[in-house]
Amino acid sequence: MAGMLNIISIDVEEIYHAEYVRPYAPTNIRPRAPDGVREALFLLDRSGAEATFFVVGEVAERHPGLLSAIRDRGHEVGFHGYSHKPLWRMVPEEFKDELSLAKKVLGRDCRGFRAPSFSLDLKTAWALGVLAEEGYVYDSSLFPARTPLYGLPGTPIVPYRPSLSDPRIMDKEGPIIEFPILTLEIGKIRVPLGGGFYLRLVPISLLVKVIQKLNRRGIPAIVYVHSWELDPRTPKIAIRSPWKFFITYYRIRDVLGKLAYLLSRARFTSFMNYLEHEGLM
C-alpha cells in the first residue's frame, strides 16, 4: 500500500481500568485483555501492519504469554502505567518507581510511554523529565484538545520535542519526542478523532479523509484503540452516570470493523518503526 506512514497503537488494559468505569467495577470481574489483543493481532496480521501495544504492567504480569505473543508477531511493546493510575494522582518519585518496575515486567527494550487517561498536562509536565532520566525515547500522552476528562489545548499537532517545563512549547533540544493524538482542526477549533469514544463517534469515512488530508501535509496520524473495545464480549458495567456510560460503551461493537477498514485504507506502523523510518533515532 502506497502512501505516508501513520502510527497505530492498542492500549492493553481491562475495562475496569477505564477512568469512568473503575469506581463501579465489581471486584470479581474476569480479566479479558488477551481477548482484545488476540482480535488486534488478527487484524494486523491480515493487513500486514505493525503496531505499538501500550501494556498496563499488572496486565502483563497476570498474563505471562501476552508480551511474547505481541513481540513474536513483530509488534512493539510500550508502557501504559503499572495499574493505569493517572499522572495527576502521582508524584515524581512514584512515577519513577513505576518506570523502573516496567523494565522488569516489560523488558528493557520498552522505549515508549502513554500516560493512563492521557493525563499529561501542564500540572504533570514533570513526567517528561522522569521519562528522559529513565531512558525513554518517546511519549504519546498528549491530547491536543480539551475534553471533559483530559487534554492540553495549544500543543502542536505534529510529532515534536516538547519543553520539559511546558509541553505546549517546542524545544529542538528536548530529550523526548512527543506524538500527539489525531485531531481535526476547524478554524481555531480542534475536534478529537484519534481514538476511544471519539473514534467510535465519527463516521470512519470522515476519519480516513482527515488522515489523507494530514498525510498530504506531511503529517502522520496518531490513532489508538483500547483492547477492551476490540473484545466482542467486554462486559457492561453498571456505571451510575448515564453520560459516562454513554462515553464508555457507545458503538463499541463497531470498533473491530472500523479498525479493519482503517488498516485497509492507510499505511500504519509502530512508533519505533516510524522513528527509524524517518531517521529520528
Side-chain angles (χ1 to χ4, degrees):
M1 183 188 300
M4 183 175 178
L5 279 176
N6 300 285
I7 301 170
I8 188 79
S9 57
I10 292 84
D11 289 358
V12 181
E13 59 190 62
E14 301 291 351
I15 182 63
Y16 54 75
H17 284 128
E19 198 69 13
Y20 287 160
V21 177
R22 189 191 297 264
Y24 307 103
T27 56
N28 62 346
I29 187 171
R30 184 176 80 83
R32 297 189 53 84
D35 297 79
V37 170
R38 190 178 305 114
E39 297 288 349
L41 291 173
F42 172 77
L43 290 181
L44 291 164
D45 281 351
R46 193 170 68 180
S47 70
E50 295 176 342
T52 297
F53 287 72
F54 288 109
V55 183
V56 169
E58 63 183 16
V59 171
E61 284 191 324
R62 186 178 293 118
H63 305 284
L66 193 61
L67 298 182
S68 59
I70 293 169
R71 288 183 170 124
D72 288 350
R73 307 283 261 280
H75 305 295
E76 178 195 3
V77 170
F79 187 42
H80 196 36
Y82 181 76
S83 63
H84 205 266
K85 188 176 183 179
L87 294 173
W88 55 62
R89 294 183 188 151
M90 304 179 75
V91 295
E93 283 305 314
E94 184 181 1
F95 182 50
K96 187 172 183 177
D97 289 343
E98 281 211 354
L99 293 177
S100 296
L101 183 59
K103 293 176 183 176
K104 299 177 182 178
V105 177
L106 304 183
R108 293 189 174 273
D109 61 341
C110 179
R111 311 297 297 278
F113 176 73
R114 172 166 292 152
S117 302
F118 295 100
S119 48
L120 180 64
D121 54 28
L122 290 180
K123 293 182 179 178
T124 57
W126 49 260
L128 291 171
V130 179
L131 285 171
E133 290 173 4
E134 293 298 310
Y136 280 72
V137 171
Y138 73 87
D139 175 72
S140 184
S141 303
L142 279 180
F143 217 92
R146 175 61 61 197
T147 77
L149 183 60
Y150 49 71
L152 183 59
T155 58
I157 64 168
V158 300
Y160 71 107
R161 292 183 181 272
S163 162
L164 296 184
S165 59
D166 187 341
R168 297 172 300 182
I169 300 173
M170 289 187 179
D171 178 0
K172 293 182 179 180
E173 302 302 319
I176 296 290
I177 299 174
E178 181 64 40
F179 288 91
I181 302 301
L182 171 66
T183 55
L184 168 63
E185 290 190 307
I186 306 175
K188 295 184 178 181
I189 299 174
R190 289 181 178 177
V191 180
L193 289 181
F197 167 71
Y198 305 100
L199 183 147
R200 290 183 263 123
L201 182 65
V202 302
I204 191 63
S205 57
L206 172 61
L207 184 57
V208 170
K209 287 180 180 178
V210 172
I211 291 173
Q212 291 172 342
K213 183 178 179 180
L214 277 178
N215 289 174
R216 286 194 293 270
R217 295 168 56 193
I219 301 172
I222 316 301
V223 180
Y224 75 97
V225 297
H226 300 102
S227 57
W228 49 266
E229 292 176 301
L230 299 172
D231 179 5
R233 293 190 289 176
T234 288
K236 292 285 183 71
I237 308 300
I239 302 172
R240 293 177 188 171
S241 164
W243 172 244
K244 292 179 179 179
F245 183 91
F246 174 75
I247 289 175
T248 302
Y249 290 107
Y250 178 70
R251 304 199 73 164
I252 189 174
R253 301 305 179 216
D254 293 350
V255 176
L256 271 171
K258 281 191 168 187
L259 180 58
Y261 184 80
L262 201 57
L263 291 171
S264 73
R265 302 295 293 179
R267 292 180 67 202
F268 286 95
T269 191
S270 65
F271 285 94
M272 286 301 294
N273 279 353
Y274 178 86
L275 288 169
E276 292 172 2
H277 182 270
E278 296 298 313
L280 297 173
M281 289 294 297

